[in-house]
Amino acid sequence: MSTINSQDDENTFKILVATDIHLGYLEKDPVRGNDTFVTFNEILDHARKNEVDFILLGGDLFHDNKPSRKTVHSCLESLRKYCMGDRPVQFEILSDQAVNFHYSKFPWVNYQDENLNISIPVFSIHGNHDDPTGADALCALDILSCAGLLNHFGRSTSVEKIDISPILLRKGRTKIALYGLGAIPDERLYRMFVNKQVTMLRPKEDEDSWFNLFVIHQNRSKHGATNYIPEQFLDDFIDLVVWGHEHECKIAPFQNEQQRFYISQPGSSVVTSLSPGEAVKKHIGLLHVKGKKMKMEKIALETVRTFHMEDIVLADHPDLFNPDNPNVTQAIQAFCMEKVELMLDTAERECLGNPRQPEKPIIRLRVDYAGGFEPFSVHRFSQKYMHRVANPKDIIHFFRRREQKEKKDIDLNFGKLVSRPAEGTTLRVEDLVKQYFQTAEKKVQLSLLTERGMGEAVQEFVDKEEKDAIEELVKFQLEKTQRFLKERRTDAVEEKIDEEVRKFRESRKKNTEEEDKEVREAMMRARAHRSEDEVLVSASSDEDSMDMEVIGISNPSDGLSSTLSRGRGRARGRARGTRGQNSTARGSSRRGRAFRSSKTDRSSNSFQSYSEDIIDVDSDLEDTSFVPPSSKVNQRFPTLSSLSKRGSQSQTSKGVDFESDEDDPFMSPATSRRTK
């Protein structure tokens, strides 16, 4: 196997890879509140010490869709501290950035902005926790992107077709095509892959010389029939896939035998669920790429709070526990205390020699009490470890495996055991809604709406706090059904109307694409309705404050002059306009590139590249006593007008070499620099 020359630094990309940082998780917890911020600083510090070319994040930088001010402030503070500086960026971007960042008002990479001094660029896709929502489809990453501290890419809002255009990077003789796809509901993306509605565009020039790197944030393990993305769906010309969303650390690249590409799953950098996958040691990766060769170096995180977990099955210890013994509960409690003490001793030994390790570990003991046993008081048990563990309320988890009786004539088979869903498994809202209506009585069955549409509306209501989602969906479906009945000219007979409505509902259920469009349009109406309400509330609050000032004038205890001096009716300044800026004047590296699609026949056509002008209108506002708030205007950016199609590269012509961690030729990298 060929090796990478460590002295040839000018031709080697060094990329720090991390996913699922979940900033703000348990930020109000007195013990674990700062864990995510401390680990994020450690990740950025590793990037600066290793002098990486850029940082690549695989989604879920934030834990909440609407992070708190503390979380956003801490993130901005860390990015400014570690990612800004005078160290020159040594790679260039060859693709049309107006296409790569077309959702941004500043469609160029941040280190090429003449007003910013970026030493380590950060590229990130969004995850399912921090995905774009609301009438303007904004997310927390857009705030960081607007501030010039992060490059948000991989956005796609279309439910009909997804075209993934890569960011083309070049350093010396090494070229990387960086693909990204932010989180999309798994069932929708699964269906789009099956219907061949996902296309990965490829460079038209020397397509075999590019190292193809793909970042995705979806379910990798199967949670349902279509609630995941099989690895076989991805194109075989990809060299490495960085897979986010899965929290178990499997960062060492693993080769897919069918598609021949490698997959690296960095996992999360913080424990967010007390499940076995989270107990694996947390790492980030330092990826070296030269030509078509790569090497992933694992870096263990030292500030992550240790997590130890163990399972106990009481029925497996008949010599210790007898359900008929009146003192069996006390014996079980003593046995659990012994297990917890052993885990605490193990955690204490791991912390020796590492002063950055948090003092209190996370401990989890799962107890299967099936077989006639009774659980003891968890709260009383937790009181004994209040000052020794980080999660005293969650130390013990009692569960019981249930036997499924299978009837076959008169014989019963007790051999099959069915366990409860594994701890840490997420139950989705739409699945619960669908299950409820499918098993409900006929009188409460849905006759107009579909279970799928109702499930997605309820999920928007629960997860994204869209309070009008259900109401708007009902209105939208009702209007559409009324139009259908009018077009059919159905007789005003109850039986015929019910029959037509039933047929219309069944046809919508079969046409899943049309149903997706309906649900999406209803959600957009709900978000627009919420935005209008926010504007009205803001305007009414301003009017109320004005009324209070006017009332203050009539107060006989105050002088007229003092009352007028406190009035807030006049605008004190003049609004300043900003200078217009042309996005095409951002350096010679922002030139258009021709691509080929990886899905269809080879041809010489190329898609139309374009650039976009950003114009800010200068305006001066006259002094007025009251200015009502202006509503937000959605700005839409153009999409690709035409694409050339390109067949996938044969998997037999792969040219990727993977090196293990044992022979590390990068012990003393050269420090050649290039001006920005």
Side-chain angles (χ1 to χ4, degrees), residues 224-451:
T226 60
N227 194 17
Y228 76 113
I229 302 301
E231 299 173 3
Q232 287 72 20
F233 281 2
L234 307 184
D235 286 282
D236 56 5
F237 71 85
I238 299 172
D239 298 312
L240 176 64
V241 179
V242 176
W243 206 299
H245 184 62
E246 300 288 351
H247 282 206
E248 183 176 357
C249 182
K250 298 178 180 178
I251 199 167
F254 174 81
Q255 188 175 27
N256 182 288
E257 295 298 332
Q258 181 176 347
Q259 301 294 87
R260 308 301 298 172
F261 52 66
Y262 287 91
I263 299 176
S264 174
Q265 182 178 302
S268 65
S269 60
V270 64
V271 177
T272 59
S273 62
L274 304 181
S275 58
E278 295 276 17
V280 180
K281 179 71 175 176
K282 303 292 186 183
H283 292 82
I284 56 176
L286 184 59
L287 176 65
H288 304 265
V289 178
K290 180 187 175 185
K292 297 285 286 184
K293 305 168 188 173
M294 68 175 178
K295 177 179 183 295
M296 180 71 78
E297 177 184 344
K298 297 195 298 184
I299 301 177
L301 294 174
E302 298 178 352
T303 59
V304 177
R305 193 177 297 273
T306 56
F307 173 38
H308 294 273
M309 183 174 183
E310 190 171 342
D311 290 348
I312 297 176
V313 180
L314 299 180
D316 292 344
H317 302 276
D319 53 332
L320 298 178
F321 311 116
N322 182 4
D324 299 329
N325 187 347
N327 298 323
V328 66
T329 303
Q330 289 79 359
I332 294 173
Q333 185 170 348
F335 185 75
C336 291
M337 289 180 62
E338 181 181 350
K339 290 290 185 181
V340 171
E341 290 293 339
L342 289 175
M343 286 191 283
L344 286 172
D345 291 341
T346 304
E348 186 176 354
R349 287 194 301 269
E350 289 184 1
C351 292
L352 294 177
N354 183 11
R356 306 178 67 183
Q357 190 89 47
E359 181 180 356
K360 297 180 180 179
I362 302 173
I363 301 297
R364 184 67 151 182
L365 185 63
R366 301 193 302 184
V367 182
D368 180 5
Y369 66 102
F373 299 98
E374 293 295 331
F376 54 81
S377 175
V378 176
H379 299 288
R380 192 178 301 120
F381 184 89
S382 302
Q383 292 294 326
K384 303 174 184 178
Y385 300 96
M386 287 294 295
H387 303 290
R388 300 181 61 189
V389 300
N391 61 321
K393 297 181 181 179
D394 301 323
I395 296 179
I396 300 292
H397 172 66
F398 284 102
F399 70 100
R400 183 167 54 190
R401 298 181 185 274
R402 293 179 297 181
E403 295 180 349
Q404 182 183 19
K405 298 180 180 179
E406 200 174 275
K407 213 167 187 181
K408 189 175 181 181
D409 295 334
I410 58 174
D411 297 329
L412 296 179
N413 183 3
F414 295 97
K416 293 189 177 182
L417 299 178
V418 177
S419 61
R420 293 184 177 182
E423 189 176 359
T425 302
T426 304
L427 293 177
R428 302 191 312 150
V429 175
E430 62 262 42
D431 293 337
L432 296 176
V433 173
K434 183 177 180 180
Q435 182 181 1
Y436 169 78
F437 284 112
Q438 286 180 346
T439 58
E441 298 179 2
K442 187 175 182 179
K443 61 181 180 180
V444 295
Q445 291 276 357
L446 292 175
S447 58
L448 179 62
L449 305 178
T450 61
E451 293 87 357

Side-chain angles (χ1 to χ4, degrees), residues 21 23 34-48 74-75 77-79 81-82 301 303 356:
I21 297 174
L23 288 176
N34 290 323
D35 285 3
T36 57
F37 308 122
V38 173
T39 303
F40 185 49
N41 285 331
E42 182 189 359
I43 293 172
L44 297 180
D45 187 50
H46 279 298
R48 185 169 64 178
S74 298
C75 180
E77 186 179 34
S78 299
L79 290 174
K81 177 181 178 181
Y82 291 99
L301 294 174
T303 59
R356 306 178 67 183

Side-chain angles (χ1 to χ4, degrees), residues 449-451 504-512 515:
L449 305 178
T450 61
E451 293 87 357
F504 182 54
R505 178 175 179 272
E506 293 298 325
S507 65
R508 292 204 327 271
K509 289 178 64 177
K510 294 178 181 179
N511 192 348
T512 55
E515 188 176 7

Side-chain angles (χ1 to χ4, degrees), residues 148-173:
L149 296 174
L150 181 143
N151 302 292
H152 181 202
F153 73 109
R155 289 188 56 168
S156 178
T157 58
S158 174
V159 298
E160 299 177 353
K161 184 174 178 59
I162 297 177
D163 292 315
I164 307 175
S165 180
I167 303 175
L168 302 182
L169 314 173
R170 182 174 66 187
K171 182 181 180 182
R173 294 189 298 271

